[in-house]
Amino acid sequence: MLKVEDKLGRNVYKVDKEGHIRINQEICRTKCAPKYCIFVCPAKVYSLDEKGDVHSNPDGCLECGACVIACLEEALDWHYPRAGFGVQYRLS
Ligand code: SF4
């Protein structure tokens, strides 16, 4: 049986030069201590830098929406990638 990571590795991502996730750093920095997005994202899109600021690399985003739900301060400007871009799931 395949592990989740192996299954996700089969997906194809068409990366748009225009990212579909923007972080309001002011809100994120000043209002959000727990940084839940880092823990809920199955694709590990979010990371912390040495100063404690959150950054995103949306290239592997699965478009699940978990980060938007987890971001209690609404610091994320998230929308689906433009048509033709983003994840293409491969089930076999
Ligand atoms: Fe991660 Fe899902 Fe948010 Fe994409 S939509 S960044 S996969 S939590």
Side-chain angles (χ1 to χ4, degrees):
M1 181 177 247
L2 287 176
K3 290 191 280 183
V4 172
E5 293 79 15
D6 295 330
K7 289 184 177 180
L8 291 178
R10 292 180 169 187
N11 295 331
V12 175
Y13 303 90
K14 189 163 181 198
V15 177
D16 190 355
K17 64 179 185 299
E18 211 177 282
H20 68 285
I21 301 171
R22 286 188 183 72
I23 302 169
N24 182 323
Q25 291 292 349
E26 182 66 22
I27 295 173
C28 187
R29 202 176 286 137
T30 60
K31 293 188 173 177
C32 180
K35 317 290 189 206
Y36 291 126
C37 57
I38 291 171
F39 304 103
V40 301
C41 177
K44 305 198 182 332
V45 163
Y46 299 94
S47 60
L48 277 177
D49 68 14
E50 64 283 350
K51 292 190 303 186
D53 290 342
V54 177
H55 297 277
S56 68
N57 177 4
D59 294 356
C61 176
L62 300 168
E63 301 168 28
C64 68
C67 55
V68 179
I69 294 168
C71 184
L72 302 178
E73 302 298 340
E74 299 182 355
L76 295 179
D77 175 8
W78 190 103
H79 55 85
Y80 283 102
R82 293 186 301 158
F85 292 96
V87 66
Q88 296 170 13
Y89 286 96
R90 298 286 189 258
L91 300 178
S92 59

